[in-house]
Amino acid sequence: MRSEEQNRTTLRWITRRPGLIAAFALILASGCASIKAAPAKHEAEQRWNSVRAKAKLQLARQHAERGLFEEALNASKESRTLDPSQPDAYAVSAKALLELGRLNSAEHSIQAACQQGIHSPELSYLDGVILEQRGEIEAALVKYQKARAGDPIAVDYLTAEAECLVMLGRHEDAFSLLSANRHSVNEDATVAILAARTAALLGRNDEAIQWYRAAQAHAPDSPLIAQYLGLQLARAGRCMEAIPLLRATTTPAGSPSWPGQMPAPSAFAADSENQPIGAVYRALGGCYLAIDDSTTAAAILGPYLANNQHDGLGQLLFAQASFATGDLYAASRAIDLAQKYGAPAPDVFFIQSLIEWRRGRSTAAADSLRRVLAFDPNHIEANCLLGTVLSELSLNAEAAEAFERALSLSPSNKWAFTGLARLSEN
């Protein structure tokens, strides 16, 4: 140990050298500064990495919006490397992978977020998308419900949940969900359209029409919503309301409104998922038939069917319209195509019987009518026409039976009543 005398000597030596004291203090100060500088530098690097991560994330989103999904994936991965705590970076990665058809990798991206303790409504939603694509609808529904609980105003989460309910056959639950939340989401007509479709599935035509009108109020210039509304009105038998909407969506820009000159067949597109051309033309033609304007019905359906011969239901309507206008050749050709492409057999045989009857081929007409009644014994018109045809063949007893069957089904049917009266006179 140092003696007291040695300590006093050292102290005197230091006090006589003030410069040395200052230097010693500077060394101590520098040492403390070095110790404090390390965490400050780390914090600065973290801040800088966070800024760069956000920039990379923004770049990833821009790539995704342009359909550059590989680039979006790479940018989102770089963002995650710089700042692993960003939920959106994992979500962008998962979205890009889904677009690229890499379902398992998308799932791994979401799992990586979970392993980091990162959760968000969007990640739950994307997890649901993956499950839905795998056909695990019940599990997907749970994820969508979780996403909506985290973000109740997101339209995608609400509609995804409702669509799952529809796929599970829970139409009433889906409709109730949409009705209850229509004002709580960021409305953009999507909810109204889905609610209208669900109401239609439930057979609630009036409610479906109301929902389509609500959708149209949000997007008044949308031709697709006008189509949906027109189709629903036609299904409900409200043809005078349906015709203007359907006519507007089938008349090409610059061409006259119906009735008028038809555009060339090449101007018509074939059916597609996003634009149900066939359904529109069939509904429009059917509406004109319903209001006894067979000429316009034939004028609308003919050019459409020139490019869509496979539309059996359209051919059936065209046959009916052609028969009503007296064009038996067009009617006969159309009914053959209707039968070939799967139109309902009773309807096909009934139109065939009308054509044969008009051509004076009573026996062939009677054979077609018996085929109709084999499918549907309660077909009132077929029974009435069969009675008429058989009376022309002088088969009065069979004719009377046919008229009596029609009257049993429709006691006030004038056709059957008149037919029986004439038979009794003979």
Side-chain angles (χ1 to χ4, degrees):
M1 294 182 59
R2 291 169 61 92
S3 67
E4 186 177 343
E5 182 60 31
Q6 286 175 321
N7 288 335
R8 284 198 297 270
T9 301
T10 300
L11 182 60
R12 285 196 301 272
W13 184 75
I14 291 173
T15 55
R16 290 172 184 172
R17 290 166 176 78
L20 183 60
I21 295 173
F24 184 66
L26 183 60
I27 291 169
L28 289 175
S30 297
C32 291
S34 298
I35 293 168
K36 292 177 181 178
K41 181 180 180 182
H42 180 67
E43 289 174 5
E45 287 178 353
Q46 283 185 322
R47 286 194 298 270
W48 175 236
N49 285 342
S50 178
V51 170
R52 291 174 61 202
K54 289 176 182 177
K56 289 289 185 182
L57 179 57
Q58 182 62 28
L59 180 62
R61 287 174 174 148
Q62 291 172 354
H63 284 319
E65 288 170 2
R66 295 169 186 163
L68 305 172
F69 299 114
E70 285 287 2
E71 291 83 348
L73 180 60
N74 292 334
S76 64
K77 284 180 178 178
E78 291 176 11
S79 178
R80 287 164 52 183
T81 300
L82 290 165
D83 183 0
S85 66
Q86 300 179 98
D88 289 352
Y90 294 91
V92 172
S93 290
K95 284 180 181 178
L97 289 163
L98 282 170
E99 293 288 351
L100 292 167
R102 292 154 63 179
L103 217 61
N104 289 338
S105 296
E107 184 179 35
H108 291 157
S109 181
I110 295 171
Q111 288 174 347
C114 292
Q115 288 168 2
Q116 296 281 341
I118 297 169
H119 304 278
S120 74
E122 188 171 21
L123 287 170
S124 295
Y125 168 74
L126 292 170
D127 208 1
V129 171
I130 293 168
L131 290 165
E132 184 179 340
Q133 290 192 19
R134 287 176 173 162
E136 300 177 38
I137 308 303
E138 289 277 9
L141 176 61
V142 173
K143 294 295 182 181
Y144 292 146
Q145 289 170 335
K146 182 178 179 181
R148 193 169 65 85
D151 187 357
I153 66 172
V155 172
D156 287 346
Y157 306 165
L158 174 62
T159 55
E161 183 179 344
E163 286 170 353
C164 272
L165 289 169
V166 170
M167 283 187 281
L168 292 168
R170 296 168 57 184
H171 299 160
E172 192 68 57
D173 291 340
F175 186 70
S176 298
L177 175 70
L178 293 164
S179 299
N181 290 277
R182 63 176 299 188
H183 298 301
S184 62
V185 298
N186 294 324
E187 177 60 67
D188 64 351
T190 306
V191 173
I193 291 173
L194 185 55
R197 289 179 173 178
T198 308
L201 288 171
L202 290 166
R204 300 179 185 176
N205 285 329
D206 289 342
E207 287 181 87
I209 289 167
Q210 290 173 6
W211 277 100
Y212 278 131
R213 291 200 188 283
Q216 196 173 47
H218 286 285
D221 299 324
S222 169
L224 194 58
I225 294 175
Q227 278 186 1
Y228 289 148
L229 176 56
L231 287 169
Q232 193 62 44
L233 287 165
R235 292 187 195 105
R238 294 163 61 173
C239 284
M240 298 307 295
E241 297 173 74
I243 284 172
L245 291 166
L246 296 174
R247 187 173 61 193
T249 62
T250 57
T251 305
S255 65
S257 299
W258 311 112
Q261 181 181 356
M262 292 294 296
S266 61
F268 294 98
D271 288 20
S272 71
E273 183 179 353
N274 294 326
Q275 191 177 18
I277 291 292
V280 171
Y281 277 92
R282 289 191 297 271
L284 189 55
C287 273
Y288 276 114
L289 283 170
I291 63 172
D292 295 324
D293 189 351
S294 55
T295 300
T296 303
I300 287 169
L301 290 165
Y304 157 70
L305 290 169
N307 272 5
N308 297 273
Q309 283 194 351
H310 62 279
D311 187 341
L313 291 175
Q315 296 287 0
L316 185 67
L317 288 168
F318 185 57
Q320 185 177 346
S322 298
F323 174 82
T325 60
D327 189 345
L328 298 185
Y329 173 78
S332 182
R333 182 175 182 276
I335 205 63
D336 287 344
L337 290 170
Q339 186 172 21
K340 179 180 179 180
Y341 293 113
D347 296 329
V348 168
F349 294 140
F350 185 71
I351 300 297
Q352 279 181 339
S353 69
L354 287 170
I355 295 169
E356 297 293 356
W357 179 55
R358 184 68 61 85
R359 284 174 169 170
R361 302 172 183 172
S362 297
T363 301
D367 289 341
S368 293
L369 287 166
R370 290 188 181 101
R371 296 176 78 178
V372 174
L373 294 171
F375 281 98
D376 181 9
N378 297 327
H379 196 300
I380 297 172
E381 290 79 9
N383 276 297
C384 287
L385 183 56
L386 181 59
T388 300
V389 170
L390 292 173
S391 66
E392 291 174 352
L393 293 169
S394 299
L395 299 172
N396 293 346
E398 293 181 47
E401 289 178 4
F403 284 132
E404 286 169 356
R405 282 195 301 271
L407 280 175
S408 69
L409 296 166
S410 176
S412 60
N413 188 286
K414 292 182 179 179
W415 187 355
F417 183 82
T418 303
L420 271 178
R422 287 176 179 171
L423 285 173
S424 64
E425 291 173 0
N426 297 329

